[in-house]
C-alpha cells in the first residue's frame, strides 16, 4: 500500500491542502450541530422550547444550503476538531519530522488546556462542545462536558505528551480519565459510563471510549479501582454485542439503529483498552465485530455505507473512521487493499477538487457541500495522515523483509 493508490488518489497532497485551509481559518469553522449558536434564534426566545431547539438544530444539520451566515452563527473552534488535528499532526511526524508542525500541535494542545471546563465545578479536566446540543434523550448547554469530546481530547493530549515529553499534556489526560471515571453508572451486577454528567443513558461508543481512556489513566496512575470499572464497562457492552457481531447505538428504544462510524468507534475503543491493559480478553468480540463491520458497511466499489441496512448518506466522517478502523483494528492485507478502494471512491464521490476539500455528505439525490470543520475536514485530515503514516511504515516493513 502506498500514499498514492492504484486509482491516482494522492493522499499527501490532499492532506496538505486540508491543513493549509484549516490554518487560513485559524482552525475554526461551522459544525453540523451548531445551529443553536444562532443570534436570531436566541433573540426570538425559541431556546426555551425543547421541540423548537431540536427542530432548529435539525434544520441546519440537514439543509444542503448553509443558512448560518443569515441567522448569525459564527465560525468557531471546536475542541474535538482541534484534537483531531493534533492527532493528524502527530501521525505526520511518523513520516516527516517538521519542527513547525510539532510547534503547531503544542500550541493547539495548550489552547485545549485553556478550554477545559472550570475544575472548581467539575474537579477534573474535561471538555464539551462550543454549542448547545439538543437531542431526544437530553439537552446539553454549551460547554458542559461530555464523554466523547473529553475522550478524543485526552487521546490527543496523551499522544502530544508522548511525543514532546511535556508533562502538562500527559497530566491533563490522566486527570481527564478521572472525570470520565466519575461518569461511571453502577448497575445491579455490572456498570457503564454515561455520555454526560447527570444522565444515565447507555450509549455504547461513549461507554467504550470512556473505558479505553480510563484504562490508560488507570495504568499510568496505578489505580486498581479505575481498572476494574473500565473492564466492567467493556464487559457489559461486549455482552450486549449481538450474535451477528453488531451493536445498536444504545440501550434506549430509539437507539436501535446500527451505523458504521459508531461501530468503528466501538471496535477501536475495545482495541485501545486491550492495548492499555495488555490483555486479549476482548479479542473474540473484536474479531466478530470486525467480520460484521467488513461485511455490512462496504460495497464492492468502496462505497462506505452509513447504516448497516442503508447506503445513504455517503459521509466523509464514516469514510474517515473506516480508514482508521480497518488499518488500526484490522490491519490485514485485505484491509489495506479495501482502504485504498475506499479512499479512491471517496475521492470520486465526496472530494471537491475545485475547493481542495471534502463535502459533508452525498445523498441519493443531493450532495451537501457545506464546509464543516470538526465533522468533515478535521476527520479527513486525521484519517489521511494516519493512512500515509501506515503506508510509509508498511513500505519500510516490506523493504526490510526483502
Amino acid at each position: 500500500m502506498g500514499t498514492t493508490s492504484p486509482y491516482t488518489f494522492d493522499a499527501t497532497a490532499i492532506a496538505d491542502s486540508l491543513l493549509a485551509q484549516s490554518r487560513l481559518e485559524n482552525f475554526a469553522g461551522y459544525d453540523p450541530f451548531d445551529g443553536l449558536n444562532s443570534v436570531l434564534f436566541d433573540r426570538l426566545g425559541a431556546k426555551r422550547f425543547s421541540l423548537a431547539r431540536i427542530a432548529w438544530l435539525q434544520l441546519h444539520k440537514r439543509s444542503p444550503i448553509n443558512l448560518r451566515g443569515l441567522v448569525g452563527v459564527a465560525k468557531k473552534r471546536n475542541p474535538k476538531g482541534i484534537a483531531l488535528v493534533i492527532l493528524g499532526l502527530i501521525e505526520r511526524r511518523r513520516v516527516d519530522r517538521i519542527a513547525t508542525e510539532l510547534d503547531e500541535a503544542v500550541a493547539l494542545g495548550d489552547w485545549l488546556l485553556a478550554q477545559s471546563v472550570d475544575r472548581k465545578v467539575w474537579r477534573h479536566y474535561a471538555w464539551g462542545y462550543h454549542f448547545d446540543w439538543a437531542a431526544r434523550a437530553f439537552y446539553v448547554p454549551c460547554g458542559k462536558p461530555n464523554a466523547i469530546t473529553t475522550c478524543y481530547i485526552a487521546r490527543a493530549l496523551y499522544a502530544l505528551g508522548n511525543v514532546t515529553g511535556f508533562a502538562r499534556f500527559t497530566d491533563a489526560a490522566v486527570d481527564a480519565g478521572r472525570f470520565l471515571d466519575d461518569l461511571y453508572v453502577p448497575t445491579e451486577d455490572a456498570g457503564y459510563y454515561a455520555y454526560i454528567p447527570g444522565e444515565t443513558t447507555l450509549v455504547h461508543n461513549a461507554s467504550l471510549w470512556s473505558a479505553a481512556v480510563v484504562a490508560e489513566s488507570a495504568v499510568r496512575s496505578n489505580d486498581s479501582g479505575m481498572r476494574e470499572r473500565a473492564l466492567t464497562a467493556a464487559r457489559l457492552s461486549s455482552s450486549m454485542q449481538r450474535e451477528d457481531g453488531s451493536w445498536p447505538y444504545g440501550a434506549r428504544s430509539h437507539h436501535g439503529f446500527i451505523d458504521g462510524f459508531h461501530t468503528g468507534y466501538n471496535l477501536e475503543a475495545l482495541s485501545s483498552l486491550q492495548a492499555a491493559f495488555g490483555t486479549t480478553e476482548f479479542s473474540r468480540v473484536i474479531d466478530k465485530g470486525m467480520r460484521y463491520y467488513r461485511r455490512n458497511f462496504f460495497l464492492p466499489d468502496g462505497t462506505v455505507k452509513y447504516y448497516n441496512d442503508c447506503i445513504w448518506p455517503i459521509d466523509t466522517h464514516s469514510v474517515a473512521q473506516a480508514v482508521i478502523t480497518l488499518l488500526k483494528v484490522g490491519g490485514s492485507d485485505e484491509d489495506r487493499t479495501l482502504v485504498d478502494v475506499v479512499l479512491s471512491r471517496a475521492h470520486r464521490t465526496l472530494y471537491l477538487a475545485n475547493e481542495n476539500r471534502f463535502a459533508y455528505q452525498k445523498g441519493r439525490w443531493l450532495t451537501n457541500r457545506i464546509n464543516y470543520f470538526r465533522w468533515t475536514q478535521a476527520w479527513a485530515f486525521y484519517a489521511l495522515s494516519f493512512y500515509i503514516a501506515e503506508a510509509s511504515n508498511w513500505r519500510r516493513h516490506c523493504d526490510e523483509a526483502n
Side-chain angles (χ1 to χ4, degrees), residues 189-245:
D189 55 357
Y192 59 92
Y193 294 101
Y195 202 129
I196 57 174
E199 294 287 343
T200 58
T201 303
L202 171 56
V203 173
H204 291 296
N205 76 91
S207 185
L208 286 171
W209 262 128
S210 296
V213 175
V214 169
E216 185 70 29
S217 295
V219 169
R220 292 183 184 242
S221 59
N222 194 28
D223 190 315
S224 59
M226 291 174 71
R227 174 187 175 91
E228 286 308 308
R229 287 185 287 276
L231 285 170
T232 298
R235 287 165 182 157
L236 179 62
S237 284
S238 294
S239 73
M240 298 174 75
Q241 184 185 41
R242 293 174 176 173
E243 187 59 35
D244 61 3

Side-chain angles (χ1 to χ4, degrees), residues 59 89 91 118 133 157 166 183 274 294 297 331 354 362:
L59 166 66
L89 289 170
E91 290 298 333
D118 185 348
W133 176 31
L157 295 178
F166 295 161
L183 298 181
Q274 283 209 144
R294 296 184 188 102
F297 292 107
N354 60 327
K362 180 179 177 62

Side-chain angles (χ1 to χ4, degrees), residues 123-362:
R123 297 200 304 158
H124 303 295
Y125 276 99
W127 292 265
Y129 290 123
H130 68 283
F131 45 74
D132 293 345
W133 176 31
R136 289 176 63 183
F138 38 68
Y139 169 68
V140 186
C142 176
K144 183 174 182 178
N146 67 74
I148 286 294
T149 303
T150 299
C151 283
Y152 273 84
I153 292 172
R155 292 174 61 204
L157 295 178
Y158 270 132
L160 196 52
N162 290 341
V163 168
T164 63
F166 295 161
R168 65 182 183 273
F169 297 128
T170 304
D171 291 347
V174 171
D175 193 56
R178 297 191 181 101
F179 163 78
L180 295 166
D181 195 47
D182 285 346
L183 298 181
Y184 187 76
V185 180
T187 64
E188 186 174 342
D189 55 357
Y192 59 92
Y193 294 101
Y195 202 129
I196 57 174
E199 294 287 343
T200 58
T201 303
L202 171 56
V203 173
H204 291 296
N205 76 91
S207 185
L208 286 171
W209 262 128
S210 296
V213 175
V214 169
E216 185 70 29
S217 295
V219 169
R220 292 183 184 242
S221 59
N222 194 28
D223 190 315
S224 59
M226 291 174 71
R227 174 187 175 91
E228 286 308 308
R229 287 185 287 276
L231 285 170
T232 298
R235 287 165 182 157
L236 179 62
S237 284
S238 294
S239 73
M240 298 174 75
Q241 184 185 41
R242 293 174 176 173
E243 187 59 35
D244 61 3
S246 67
W247 280 277
Y249 174 74
R252 291 200 171 187
S253 59
H254 59 282
H255 287 165
F257 61 89
I258 302 168
D259 69 73
F261 74 87
H262 285 118
T263 300
Y265 279 7
N266 294 344
L267 293 166
E268 187 187 358
L270 277 173
S271 179
S272 296
L273 181 143
Q274 283 209 144
F277 284 151
T279 181
T280 59
E281 177 180 345
F282 303 99
S283 291
R284 296 177 80 175
V285 173
I286 294 169
D287 290 345
K288 186 162 69 170
M290 282 300 298
R291 286 194 296 272
Y292 180 87
Y293 185 69
R294 296 184 188 102
R295 188 169 59 245
N296 288 276
F297 292 107
F298 303 93
L299 299 184
D301 66 358
T303 296
V304 180
K305 296 166 57 181
Y306 198 96
Y307 297 104
N308 63 327
D309 57 358
C310 180
I311 297 171
W312 312 105
I314 300 171
D315 176 270
T316 298
H317 187 163
S318 297
V319 171
Q321 184 59 48
V323 171
I324 293 164
T325 304
L326 291 169
L327 293 180
K328 184 179 288 189
V329 185
S332 68
D333 289 346
E334 292 76 13
D335 289 325
R336 286 188 286 271
T337 298
L338 178 55
V339 165
D340 277 341
V341 179
V342 161
L343 284 175
S344 173
R345 181 63 175 167
H347 184 240
R348 294 196 298 271
T349 57
L350 289 166
Y351 189 65
L352 305 175
N354 60 327
E355 300 180 45
N356 296 315
R357 66 174 180 85
F358 287 88
Y360 167 43
Q361 290 180 338
K362 180 179 177 62

